[in-house]
Structure formats: structure tokens, C-alpha cells
Amino acid sequence: MTRPIPRWAWALTGSGHCFAESLAMLRELGAADLFVSRAAAEVVRMYKQRLDLPQGMHVFHDTTASAAPVGLFYEGIYHTLVIAPATSNTVAKCALGISDNLVTNLFAQAGKCRIPAIVFACDSAPEMQTRAPGGIVKVWPRRIDLEHTRALGAFEGTRVVVGLDELAAAIAERRAALAGHV
Ligand SMILES: Cc1cc2nc3c(=O)[nH]c(=O)nc-3n(C[C@H](O)[C@H](O)[C@H](O)COP(=O)(O)O)c2cc1C
């Protein structure tokens, strides 16, 4: 029996911040599947975007109380979890060990299966520019948001990145490690 080639698992949460750029990165990734939070499915529509994924990428929506697709993590199908972008809500829940929806369950199960995770946390600085549906706006992440981002960075097997360049670099490093170059 042939085993499937391990893939990237990419989770999209309901963040307007850098979500179009993150989706563009996913489209270039190759063997990957997308997991969409309920908020992300709404936000994609609010920004008048489409997922437009290459053929062969599967999309999993958050439709079950038990986060049924996480079962795939036990089958060796995914080598890496990327959560990009990750809302302050998802980062907070992950940092506190809460797993009550599809994306937070992916993070928890990745940890328990020792699958490395890369998390692009939206809230990275006390003052930031972000994109609302109507254009660029200024936001001031709270101390609690920044504390959760910091706390998540201390999790085993988890790399927290705070910008698109850092996300691209983390993916490139992981790709090199998978290819045996590191
Ligand atoms: C248009 C729009 C843009 C949003 N952008 C962000 C964002 O950049 N960062 C963030 O933390 N939350 C943002 N939110 C709020 C999240 O969608 C909300 O907290 C949601 O509950 C997150 O759920 P999830 O983490 O399960 O995806 C946005 C909401 C809307 C309607």
C-alpha cells in the first residue's frame, strides 16, 4: 500500500491583517490543505476575496463540535501546521491550552503529535497598521494580546512569527529541514 506524501496543514483564522498575503503564500506552497475557522470564512467574504486554491488542495471548514478533521493528524498526513494569520482570539486560546474549535484543536493535536507549528500572530506590537474592509486603520493591541503572543512563543514545537517576511523565512527553514539540508 502506498502512503500519501506528507503535506502542510495551513489554518486561516478570521483576521483581516495580512490574510490576503498569507493566502497568496499558501497557494505557492505545493502539497498543502487549508483549514478555515468559522470567522475566517466570513472575513474572506467581507474583503471580497476568494480562496482560489490550486487543484489538489483540500479545504476543511469548521462544521463539527469535535473538530473531526484533526483525526488526520494521527495518520501522518501532515508534517507541519501553519496558522497564518492567527487572530488574537486564536492565539489566546492556544496559549491557554484551550481547544474548542477547528483551528485551536489543530494546534493542540499538532502539539500532542509532535508536529511542528508555525504561528503568524497578528498582534505583535503596541501600535500597528492593519487592513479593515474599508482600508488601512491603526490598532493598539492590548497588553494581554501581546502577552499571549509571547507566551505562545515559549511552547514546545512552536515558532511564533510576527510578519510576512518572518513567515516566509520560517517556511523556507522548515522546507530545508524536511529536505534534509539542516
Ligand atoms: C473584517 C474583520 C477583520 C478582522 N480582523 C481581525 C484581525 O486582524 N485580528 C484579530 O485578532 N481579529 C480580527 N477580527 C476579529 C475576529 O474575526 C474574531 O475575533 C473572531 O472571533 C476570531 O475567530 P477565530 O480566531 O476562530 O478565527 C476581524 C473581524 C472582522 C469582522
Side-chain angles (χ1 to χ4, degrees), residues 13-17 37 39-40 43 46-47 87-90 101 122-123 130 133:
T13 66
S15 158
H17 187 67
S37 81
V43 166
M46 286 178 206
Y47 285 79
T87 59
S88 46
N89 175 59
T90 290
N101 62 27
C122 295
D123 290 338
T130 191

mmCIF file of all heavy atoms in Angstrom, residues 13-17 37 39-40 43 46-47 87-90 101 122-123 130 133, ligand 1:
data_model
loop_
_atom_site.group_PDB
_atom_site.id
_atom_site.type_symbol
_atom_site.label_atom_id
_atom_site.label_comp_id
_atom_site.label_asym_id
_atom_site.label_seq_id
_atom_site.Cartn_x
_atom_site.Cartn_y
_atom_site.Cartn_z
ATOM 1 N N THR A 13 -7.436 31.980 10.088
ATOM 2 C CA THR A 13 -8.402 32.450 11.088
ATOM 3 C C THR A 13 -8.987 33.794 10.645
ATOM 4 O O THR A 13 -8.593 34.344 9.614
ATOM 5 C CB THR A 13 -7.751 32.552 12.484
ATOM 6 O OG1 THR A 13 -6.759 33.582 12.453
ATOM 7 C CG2 THR A 13 -7.130 31.231 12.902
ATOM 8 N N GLY A 14 -9.914 34.315 11.430
ATOM 9 C CA GLY A 14 -10.705 35.474 10.997
ATOM 10 C C GLY A 14 -10.019 36.806 11.143
ATOM 11 O O GLY A 14 -10.559 37.740 11.734
ATOM 12 N N SER A 15 -8.833 36.904 10.569
ATOM 13 C CA SER A 15 -8.056 38.138 10.673
ATOM 14 C C SER A 15 -8.016 38.858 9.327
ATOM 15 O O SER A 15 -7.721 38.240 8.302
ATOM 16 C CB SER A 15 -6.629 37.765 11.090
ATOM 17 O OG SER A 15 -5.744 38.793 10.722
ATOM 18 N N GLY A 16 -8.280 40.161 9.354
ATOM 19 C CA GLY A 16 -8.095 40.940 8.140
ATOM 20 C C GLY A 16 -6.619 41.232 7.920
ATOM 21 O O GLY A 16 -6.171 41.425 6.789
ATOM 22 N N HIS A 17 -5.848 41.238 9.017
ATOM 23 C CA HIS A 17 -4.435 41.585 8.969
ATOM 24 C C HIS A 17 -3.659 40.527 8.177
ATOM 25 O O HIS A 17 -3.565 39.371 8.594
ATOM 26 C CB HIS A 17 -3.899 41.691 10.397
ATOM 27 C CG HIS A 17 -2.505 42.196 10.487
ATOM 28 N ND1 HIS A 17 -2.160 43.482 10.149
ATOM 29 C CD2 HIS A 17 -1.362 41.577 10.881
ATOM 30 C CE1 HIS A 17 -0.857 43.639 10.332
ATOM 31 N NE2 HIS A 17 -0.355 42.500 10.759
ATOM 32 N N SER A 37 -11.292 28.683 9.852
ATOM 33 C CA SER A 37 -12.145 28.913 11.026
ATOM 34 C C SER A 37 -13.477 29.506 10.565
ATOM 35 O O SER A 37 -13.585 30.045 9.462
ATOM 36 C CB SER A 37 -11.448 29.840 12.037
ATOM 37 O OG SER A 37 -11.579 31.198 11.660
ATOM 38 N N ALA A 39 -14.899 32.169 11.591
ATOM 39 C CA ALA A 39 -14.727 33.615 11.383
ATOM 40 C C ALA A 39 -13.977 33.888 10.076
ATOM 41 O O ALA A 39 -14.293 34.832 9.346
ATOM 42 C CB ALA A 39 -13.977 34.223 12.564
ATOM 43 N N ALA A 40 -12.991 33.060 9.767
ATOM 44 C CA ALA A 40 -12.222 33.267 8.530
ATOM 45 C C ALA A 40 -13.121 33.159 7.308
ATOM 46 O O ALA A 40 -12.992 33.931 6.349
ATOM 47 C CB ALA A 40 -11.069 32.271 8.441
ATOM 48 N N VAL A 43 -14.784 36.443 7.055
ATOM 49 C CA VAL A 43 -13.877 37.555 6.744
ATOM 50 C C VAL A 43 -13.449 37.517 5.268
ATOM 51 O O VAL A 43 -13.348 38.554 4.607
ATOM 52 C CB VAL A 43 -12.662 37.538 7.716
ATOM 53 C CG1 VAL A 43 -11.550 38.434 7.227
ATOM 54 C CG2 VAL A 43 -13.116 37.956 9.111
ATOM 55 N N MET A 46 -16.068 39.257 3.492
ATOM 56 C CA MET A 46 -16.122 40.708 3.780
ATOM 57 C C MET A 46 -15.069 41.483 2.990
ATOM 58 O O MET A 46 -15.269 42.631 2.647
ATOM 59 C CB MET A 46 -15.910 40.955 5.274
ATOM 60 C CG MET A 46 -17.098 40.582 6.116
ATOM 61 S SD MET A 46 -16.696 40.879 7.848
ATOM 62 C CE MET A 46 -17.771 39.724 8.649
ATOM 63 N N TYR A 47 -13.931 40.844 2.757
ATOM 64 C CA TYR A 47 -12.861 41.513 1.997
ATOM 65 C C TYR A 47 -12.985 41.214 0.501
ATOM 66 O O TYR A 47 -12.067 41.472 -0.257
ATOM 67 C CB TYR A 47 -11.484 41.080 2.514
ATOM 68 C CG TYR A 47 -11.119 41.705 3.840
ATOM 69 C CD1 TYR A 47 -11.641 41.204 5.026
ATOM 70 C CD2 TYR A 47 -10.259 42.787 3.934
ATOM 71 C CE1 TYR A 47 -11.323 41.753 6.255
ATOM 72 C CE2 TYR A 47 -9.924 43.345 5.152
ATOM 73 C CZ TYR A 47 -10.463 42.823 6.316
ATOM 74 O OH TYR A 47 -10.136 43.375 7.532
ATOM 75 N N THR A 87 -5.569 35.157 14.634
ATOM 76 C CA THR A 87 -6.205 36.259 15.372
ATOM 77 C C THR A 87 -5.738 36.270 16.831
ATOM 78 O O THR A 87 -5.236 35.265 17.352
ATOM 79 C CB THR A 87 -7.734 36.068 15.404
ATOM 80 O OG1 THR A 87 -8.003 34.812 16.026
ATOM 81 C CG2 THR A 87 -8.345 36.120 14.026
ATOM 82 N N SER A 88 -6.005 37.400 17.492
ATOM 83 C CA SER A 88 -5.709 37.458 18.932
ATOM 84 C C SER A 88 -6.541 36.414 19.674
ATOM 85 O O SER A 88 -6.086 35.839 20.664
ATOM 86 C CB SER A 88 -5.963 38.863 19.485
ATOM 87 O OG SER A 88 -7.191 39.352 19.036
ATOM 88 N N ASN A 89 -7.741 36.142 19.188
ATOM 89 C CA ASN A 89 -8.602 35.125 19.801
ATOM 90 C C ASN A 89 -7.955 33.738 19.734
ATOM 91 O O ASN A 89 -7.834 33.043 20.754
ATOM 92 C CB ASN A 89 -9.948 35.112 19.063
ATOM 93 C CG ASN A 89 -10.870 34.009 19.532
ATOM 94 O OD1 ASN A 89 -11.220 33.952 20.688
ATOM 95 N ND2 ASN A 89 -11.233 33.116 18.621
ATOM 96 N N THR A 90 -7.514 33.354 18.539
ATOM 97 C CA THR A 90 -6.894 32.021 18.388
ATOM 98 C C THR A 90 -5.592 31.931 19.171
ATOM 99 O O THR A 90 -5.322 30.922 19.835
ATOM 100 C CB THR A 90 -6.672 31.715 16.886
ATOM 101 O OG1 THR A 90 -7.947 31.519 16.272
ATOM 102 C CG2 THR A 90 -5.825 30.482 16.678
ATOM 103 N N ASN A 101 -12.438 24.684 18.936
ATOM 104 C CA ASN A 101 -12.903 24.828 17.541
ATOM 105 C C ASN A 101 -11.876 24.152 16.636
ATOM 106 O O ASN A 101 -10.905 23.553 17.126
ATOM 107 C CB ASN A 101 -13.138 26.308 17.178
ATOM 108 C CG ASN A 101 -11.870 27.131 17.275
ATOM 109 O OD1 ASN A 101 -10.758 26.615 17.121
ATOM 110 N ND2 ASN A 101 -12.009 28.422 17.545
ATOM 111 N N CYS A 122 -1.085 37.941 14.732
ATOM 112 C CA CYS A 122 -1.407 39.296 14.245
ATOM 113 C C CYS A 122 -0.920 40.368 15.204
ATOM 114 O O CYS A 122 -0.427 41.411 14.788
ATOM 115 C CB CYS A 122 -2.922 39.467 14.136
ATOM 116 S SG CYS A 122 -3.656 38.420 12.940
ATOM 117 N N ASP A 123 -1.104 40.118 16.496
ATOM 118 C CA ASP A 123 -0.811 41.168 17.478
ATOM 119 C C ASP A 123 0.634 41.054 17.926
ATOM 120 O O ASP A 123 0.991 40.182 18.721
ATOM 121 C CB ASP A 123 -1.745 41.025 18.685
ATOM 122 C CG ASP A 123 -3.167 41.380 18.317
ATOM 123 O OD1 ASP A 123 -3.351 42.116 17.317
ATOM 124 O OD2 ASP A 123 -4.078 40.936 19.023
ATOM 125 N N THR A 130 -3.292 48.061 10.205
ATOM 126 C CA THR A 130 -3.900 46.831 9.702
ATOM 127 C C THR A 130 -4.963 47.189 8.667
ATOM 128 O O THR A 130 -5.345 48.360 8.541
ATOM 129 C CB THR A 130 -4.488 45.984 10.850
ATOM 130 O OG1 THR A 130 -4.836 44.703 10.354
ATOM 131 C CG2 THR A 130 -5.708 46.642 11.468
ATOM 132 N N PRO A 133 -11.944 46.213 6.077
ATOM 133 C CA PRO A 133 -12.538 46.122 4.736
ATOM 134 C C PRO A 133 -12.538 47.462 4.002
ATOM 135 O O PRO A 133 -12.421 47.503 2.782
ATOM 136 C CB PRO A 133 -13.960 45.644 5.035
ATOM 137 C CG PRO A 133 -13.846 44.883 6.310
ATOM 138 C CD PRO A 133 -12.800 45.605 7.114
HETATM 139 C C1 LIG B 1 -13.487 42.496 8.969
HETATM 140 C C2 LIG B 1 -12.871 41.878 10.182
HETATM 141 C C3 LIG B 1 -11.496 41.889 10.347
HETATM 142 C C4 LIG B 1 -10.918 41.337 11.491
HETATM 143 N N1 LIG B 1 -9.564 41.379 11.641
HETATM 144 C C5 LIG B 1 -9.004 40.898 12.764
HETATM 145 C C6 LIG B 1 -7.590 40.975 12.931
HETATM 146 O O1 LIG B 1 -6.847 41.486 12.081
HETATM 147 N N2 LIG B 1 -7.060 40.472 14.055
HETATM 148 C C7 LIG B 1 -7.838 39.874 15.025
HETATM 149 O O2 LIG B 1 -7.280 39.416 16.029
HETATM 150 N N3 LIG B 1 -9.175 39.767 14.887
HETATM 151 C C8 LIG B 1 -9.776 40.272 13.792
HETATM 152 N N4 LIG B 1 -11.149 40.190 13.623
HETATM 153 C C9 LIG B 1 -11.956 39.579 14.700
HETATM 154 C C10 LIG B 1 -12.008 38.046 14.595
HETATM 155 O O3 LIG B 1 -12.553 37.636 13.350
HETATM 156 C C11 LIG B 1 -12.850 37.488 15.773
HETATM 157 O O4 LIG B 1 -12.136 37.706 16.989
HETATM 158 C C12 LIG B 1 -13.178 36.019 15.634
HETATM 159 O O5 LIG B 1 -13.933 35.617 16.762
HETATM 160 C C13 LIG B 1 -11.922 35.194 15.536
HETATM 161 O O6 LIG B 1 -12.253 33.816 15.444
HETATM 162 P P1 LIG B 1 -11.116 32.750 15.053
HETATM 163 O O7 LIG B 1 -9.926 33.085 15.895
HETATM 164 O O8 LIG B 1 -11.724 31.445 15.449
HETATM 165 O O9 LIG B 1 -10.893 32.834 13.597
HETATM 166 C C14 LIG B 1 -11.741 40.743 12.480
HETATM 167 C C15 LIG B 1 -13.128 40.722 12.304
HETATM 168 C C16 LIG B 1 -13.683 41.299 11.162
HETATM 169 C C17 LIG B 1 -15.186 41.273 11.022
#
